[in-house]
Amino acid sequence: MALRPLQDRVLVRRIESDEKTKGGLIIPDTAKEKPAEGEIISCGEGARKDSGELIPMSVKDGDRVLFGKWSGTEVTVDGEELLIMKESDILGILS
């Protein structure tokens, strides 16, 4: 991968949701919302305190996470659309 996030930023690949509802109806592409779930591809080293001490990241590569609907900035890396966001934009880690 040609992009490595800096400081407390993470690179996230969106995970597409199901194309059917629980009742079996197929959702057309025009009605789908962008998923707010993704997999972390790469992490920065962490934020720094004023004293210069490193604050380690709470997430790691491979974690499945939830993030806000409007979180992050879309970037294209090697033809793939990814999101780059701050660690604080992540709402939780899915297990």
Side-chain angles (χ1 to χ4, degrees):
M1 173 123 335
L3 179 64
R4 193 190 88 198
L6 298 176
Q7 298 177 354
D8 63 339
R9 288 179 176 79
V10 295
L11 192 62
V12 177
R13 176 184 296 127
R14 288 184 193 267
I15 296 175
E16 297 297 325
S17 58
D18 294 336
E19 295 187 12
K20 290 185 180 181
T21 64
K22 291 179 183 177
L25 298 175
I26 296 174
I27 303 170
D29 289 337
T30 55
K32 287 183 186 175
E33 290 188 16
K34 288 187 176 181
E37 182 180 330
E39 178 184 359
I40 295 184
I41 303 302
S42 181
C43 294
E45 59 187 27
R48 296 226 178 244
K49 295 181 180 179
D50 291 336
S51 64
E53 183 183 344
L54 183 67
I55 302 170
M57 300 284 279
S58 302
V59 295
K60 61 187 180 311
D61 296 1
D63 281 349
R64 288 178 61 120
V65 295
L66 290 176
F67 49 87
K69 190 173 186 177
W70 306 108
S71 297
T73 301
E74 292 183 354
V75 294
T76 303
V77 178
D78 298 332
E80 182 178 14
E81 287 189 20
L82 303 170
L83 289 171
I84 190 163
M85 65 181 71
K86 286 193 164 247
E87 182 184 27
S88 60
D89 290 339
I90 295 173
L91 304 174
I93 302 171
L94 298 169
S95 53

